[in-house]
Amino acid sequence: VQIDFRSTGCAPLTLVENARVDVRESSRRNSAIDFDEIWCVFDVDAHPNLNQAREEARQSRIRTAVSNPCFELWLILHAEDLARYTSRRGVQRHATVLGFIVGKSIPHTAWTTLNENYDAAKRRTQSLDAMHAANGSPAGNNPSSGMWQLIDQLQNNISDTSGNNRT
């Protein structure tokens, strides 16, 4: 599996538009861009055009892993449940208290906990999805995270013994 990080730190619509350029480039004969999948990972935060970004990604067969309100929620779910509406700043503060972030980085000391508790975080995230479905709130509502889908896909590609996967 080869992972290529591009277009970090931009709004979701810009990220999807950049990914769509890669999709168009890859379809050209003799393109240097070769991939099996493109994923866009972004937060809900207060980004404008979020729904447009999601729809354009869907139409272009670009997968998304969206965290609402922010990525740090995914980290918190490795340690505990969080099933109530919460602000981005509140989630970021709590992730900092738990030792999962320092500024905009995940410290090396957090990796063992995150790796060991992946299954619990996945279950908690799926429980949030079920909670939203049961109470009639939209999929991806606050709180939610699609990060487990990306990680599962990466794990599936890594465990594939064909050696031909590029993500």
Side-chain angles (χ1 to χ4, degrees), residues 23-77:
V23 168
R24 285 191 299 274
E25 276 293 314
S26 73
S27 66
R28 291 187 179 147
R29 197 174 192 96
N30 299 322
S31 172
I33 299 174
D34 181 28
F35 56 84
D36 293 327
E37 296 178 9
I38 291 181
W39 283 77
C40 290
V41 177
F42 48 85
D43 297 346
V44 168
D45 285 341
H47 291 295
N49 307 315
L50 181 65
N51 290 334
Q52 181 182 354
R54 285 177 162 166
E55 181 58 22
E56 286 188 20
R58 187 191 64 73
Q59 290 175 6
S60 300
R61 294 188 316 267
I62 296 167
R63 309 258 328 249
T64 59
V66 181
S67 293
N68 188 355
C70 57
F71 172 78
E72 291 82 0
L73 170 70
W74 169 244
L75 302 177
I76 290 170
L77 293 173

Side-chain angles (χ1 to χ4, degrees), residues 51 54 68 128-145:
N51 290 334
R54 285 177 162 166
N68 188 355
L128 292 174
D129 294 342
M131 175 190 76
H132 292 306
N135 70 19
S137 58
N141 211 24
N142 182 332
S144 64
S145 180

